[in-house]
Amino acid sequence: MEFRIERSALTDAVAWAARVLPTRSPVPVLGGLLLEASDGRLRISGLDYEASACIEVEAETVRAGKVLVMGRRLLDVCRVLPEGAVQCAVEGSRFSLMSDSARFGLSVLPFDDYPALPSLPEVLGAVDAEEFAAAVAHVTVAAGRDDTLPTLTGIRLALDGDTMTLAATDRYRFAVRTLPWKPGKDGVSADVVVSARRLTEIARSFGRAGMVQLALDGGSAGFELAGMRTTVRLLDGRLPRHDKLFAMTDPARAVLDRAPLVEAVKRVSVVAEGGSPLQLTFCGESVLLQAGYEDDVASQRLPAVLDGTDELTVAFNPSYLMDALASFDAPVVRFDLMGPGQRAMVTGWTSREDAADEAACPVHQHLLMSARPLV
């Protein structure tokens, strides 16, 4: 096996495939990346028991063949190689990389125990890469972190006609985002749960251009774009439905500019320690943010428009509130409030007029449970 490739192209491809490699594994060969060169193409793939990744790039093939080498060590070497063309070859029991006057030799791994790369499930349609990445980022903040409840560490991916719904919850908050996608045929539907960590890595890795092919079967999800292909095992179980939970009857509504609210929450939360909540008191055309722990207190007042009641006080876990606000891109946010200690819905809007439109349907919703207000 022998091939030539530009250092930047090799580094990018190795880094993309190495994302799925396990940090530690009882099976040493799972730490390897498989490099296959033929017909002017270099194919790099890696896998563990949860996910797989495969990428193809152009490379001048001198001698076709394949080699299995430790992936993270290969990535370390690629990152320090001089710029320019890299000459790669298998020489006996070593894989050599030469660029300018630098030369590295890596030991090769046996193929005997290396499992076959899983095939891509059936392609159901495609979704815009940039929109998909943004939608995943919007909901992943609400996914659970407790591995003893694996289903809650996932993101629900539901397909219904030409609408894709992503949702995540850790039981204390619930984020939902809808976006358009292009089904490959009529009647496509699905409802699965994918690891939030894995799905976030996948969405980010595809960048901002092109349409990502989405594939699903009973046990895995696959994604493919421009020579990059990855699969991930689905999580067992189902996330709770959000329809009834999100239904609110005659809530009070408060509308604020998002950027100054984010800064105020950051500022006032400095003194919120020991699980103490951050309190928001809406009254007339302003909101007072307050937080405190023992003798330390902080407050800030911001403009706000409250409808549905004259005055209302709610309180939130500061971290949860910050996560919710940071997940929005819109300049204006609206709080639909049922009262102290009850549900509160946060949605994003392009203007205050849109936020006041009763008929408008938000595509991004983040539900929080309010805490007991400060005494």
Side-chain angles (χ1 to χ4, degrees):
M1 175 192 188
E2 186 176 352
F3 62 90
R4 287 172 57 87
I5 186 173
E6 286 296 312
R7 178 256 182 190
S8 59
L10 178 62
T11 303
D12 290 346
V14 169
W16 195 87
R19 294 177 303 103
V20 301
L21 298 181
T23 304
R24 294 183 180 86
S25 173
V27 184
V29 293
L30 289 184
L33 286 178
L34 181 63
L35 282 66
E36 302 171 273
S38 64
D39 302 323
R41 306 287 292 177
L42 174 65
R43 184 172 184 251
I44 304 175
S45 54
L47 75 163
D48 68 5
Y49 293 118
E50 302 293 329
S52 72
C54 177
I55 182 170
E56 288 192 11
V57 292
E58 293 183 359
E60 179 187 343
T61 306
V62 179
R63 186 172 71 254
K66 62 181 181 179
V67 65
L68 183 65
V69 295
M70 292 303 295
R72 299 192 190 282
R73 176 56 58 87
L74 176 60
L75 180 57
D76 289 341
V77 170
C78 290
R79 284 171 171 165
V80 298
L81 284 170
E83 291 293 343
V86 182
Q87 185 80 23
C88 303
V90 175
E91 300 173 342
S93 61
R94 292 189 180 278
F95 177 63
S96 66
L97 300 93
M98 294 172 287
S99 178
D100 196 11
S101 59
R103 180 186 178 100
F104 291 86
L106 302 179
S107 57
V108 301
L109 300 172
F111 294 111
D112 298 346
D113 298 326
Y114 193 70
L117 196 72
S119 59
L120 195 71
E122 179 189 1
V123 175
L124 300 184
V127 61
D128 180 84
E130 185 173 6
E131 281 193 54
F132 182 64
V136 172
H138 289 161
V139 303
T140 196
V141 295
R145 306 291 188 270
D146 185 356
D147 290 333
T148 62
L149 299 170
T151 303
L152 294 184
T153 66
I155 291 176
R156 177 187 176 219
L157 194 161
L159 306 174
D160 184 10
D162 58 0
T163 300
M164 175 185 293
T165 300
L166 301 176
T169 180
D170 61 1
R171 297 180 299 174
Y172 305 104
R173 45 193 172 164
F174 207 137
V176 175
R177 173 76 155 80
T178 59
L179 68 158
W181 83 299
K182 294 183 178 180
K185 58 183 179 181
D186 293 337
V188 172
S189 64
D191 194 342
V192 298
V193 181
V194 185
S195 162
R197 180 178 65 85
R198 295 287 191 183
L199 194 59
T200 298
E201 290 176 350
I202 291 168
R204 287 175 177 170
S205 72
F206 284 126
R208 298 188 173 185
M211 298 294 289
V212 177
Q213 301 291 317
L214 171 61
L216 286 174
D217 62 18
S220 64
F223 305 85
E224 185 172 21
L225 170 65
M228 297 176 286
R229 187 183 77 193
T230 186
T231 64
V232 59
R233 187 175 67 84
L234 299 177
L235 297 179
D236 295 329
R238 290 286 183 269
L239 290 183
R241 302 283 298 190
H242 63 275
D243 311 67
K244 293 182 179 180
L245 189 63
F246 279 26
M248 294 185 174
T249 303
D250 298 325
R253 288 184 167 175
V255 178
L256 306 86
D257 291 332
R258 189 182 70 88
L261 177 59
V262 168
E263 291 304 312
V265 170
K266 288 180 181 178
R267 188 172 295 119
V268 175
S269 296
V270 168
V271 299
E273 297 181 11
S276 61
L278 187 149
Q279 179 174 292
L280 288 79
T281 300
F282 294 94
C283 183
E285 297 183 353
S286 70
V287 58
L288 178 65
L289 285 75
Q290 296 174 284
Y293 181 67
E294 295 182 344
D295 293 330
D296 299 329
V297 294
S299 65
Q300 183 172 349
R301 189 176 294 276
L302 294 175
V305 176
L306 178 66
D307 289 319
T309 187
D310 294 330
E311 183 174 343
L312 182 62
T313 298
V314 291
F316 300 101
N317 176 301
S319 296
Y320 289 176
L321 179 59
M322 191 67 244
D323 285 345
L325 295 174
S327 71
F328 287 91
D329 304 315
V332 174
V333 290
R334 186 181 79 198
F335 287 80
D336 288 12
L337 304 166
M338 298 302 294
Q342 300 187 55
R343 292 167 293 154
M345 178 67 73
V346 187
T347 50
W349 305 87
T350 57
S351 67
R352 289 176 177 265
E353 290 74 21
D354 288 342
D357 185 355
E358 295 284 346
C361 183
V363 297
H364 179 193
Q365 300 169 280
H366 196 113
L367 187 76
L368 295 171
M369 289 301 298
S370 61
R372 178 178 296 179
L374 299 170
V375 178

